[in-house]
Amino acid sequence: MSIKSALNFDRHHIFLTNASHLALGFGLALVLQHYISGNAFLPVVIGWVLIGFGLLTHLVAWTK
């Protein structure tokens, strides 16, 4: 595992990298909105699934 291999993976999978960052940000926003204000506009489980997707894609990039 190295930063160079992760960056190389990201260069070859640009759409996946951008989608995972979008999913992480949106998922984090949903989870924080649910737990801080209590009235998220989508179910909190969607936020956790998006965070899981983002973390999984980062794990794949780090292990390639």
Side-chain angles (χ1 to χ4, degrees):
M1 286 191 278
S2 70
I3 292 176
K4 287 185 180 184
S5 64
L7 290 175
N8 191 28
F9 180 85
D10 288 345
R11 278 190 211 106
H12 287 93
H13 301 91
I14 294 171
F15 182 74
L16 179 64
T17 301
N18 289 328
S20 71
H21 285 101
L22 176 72
L24 275 170
F26 191 70
L28 183 62
L30 283 175
V31 169
L32 287 176
Q33 186 178 16
H34 173 76
Y35 289 114
I36 291 175
S37 67
N39 60 349
F41 59 94
L42 289 173
V44 72
V45 70
I46 293 174
W48 286 114
V49 167
L50 290 172
I51 290 173
F53 167 73
L55 292 176
L56 182 65
T57 56
H58 278 78
L59 180 66
V60 168
W62 275 96
T63 57
K64 292 288 177 181

